[in-house]
Amino acid sequence: MSVKDSKAPVNTITYDRNKIEEKVGSIYEAIVIMGKRAEQINAEIRTELHQKLDEFAVHNSTLEEVFENREQIEISKNYERLPKPTSIAVQEWLDDEVYFRNTEENK
């Protein structure tokens, strides 16, 4: 699923703690899993943003010749409107879209 297609809220909301911890039995373990997923999402967004911004980058300008590139500004504004990676990770967790495994159980 694309980050742009996420149903995650853009603003802060309160979640039911019981729904979050019911899959693993511990709110702390659930938070760690969602945190790791948020880091993955953040890396994906950052890579995608840098690739798009590089398409419009001017590499031969000096400090006096630096100007605002409207395409880069619009791309940046679109990414600022996206839900935060943490919100996306929580929504994926609640929708059972996050794969996780406990490595301690396999030992």
Side-chain angles (χ1 to χ4, degrees):
M1 182 170 97
S2 173
V3 173
K4 295 175 185 173
D5 300 332
S6 176
K7 301 176 291 184
V10 178
N11 54 355
T12 304
I13 65 170
T14 304
Y15 294 98
D16 183 7
R17 180 183 150 205
N18 295 329
K19 286 184 181 178
I20 290 177
E21 71 179 9
E22 71 185 351
K23 295 175 192 152
V24 290
S26 168
I27 188 73
Y28 304 108
E29 189 173 352
I31 289 171
V32 168
I33 294 168
M34 289 184 290
K36 288 182 181 182
R37 178 62 184 135
E39 289 175 7
Q40 292 172 344
I41 293 168
N42 190 39
E44 292 171 13
I45 292 172
R46 187 180 324 119
T47 302
E48 185 178 318
L49 175 61
H50 287 299
Q51 288 173 350
K52 288 186 178 185
L53 290 176
D54 283 344
E55 292 175 12
F56 298 103
V58 179
H59 299 291
N60 58 357
S61 63
T62 62
L63 288 177
E64 292 95 24
E65 297 174 352
V66 173
F67 60 93
E68 293 181 354
N69 188 331
R70 294 199 189 281
E71 291 86 6
Q72 288 178 326
I73 293 171
E74 287 301 315
I75 290 171
S76 296
K77 284 182 181 179
N78 286 335
Y79 276 87
E80 287 175 3
R81 291 185 200 112
L82 292 176
K84 302 296 180 215
T86 308
S87 296
I88 297 170
V90 171
Q91 189 63 47
E92 287 181 357
W93 177 259
L94 293 174
D95 293 342
D96 292 328
E97 297 174 358
V98 177
Y99 170 77
F100 65 95
R101 63 187 172 97
N102 190 343
T103 57
E104 296 297 319
E105 292 176 357
N106 296 337
K107 292 183 178 179

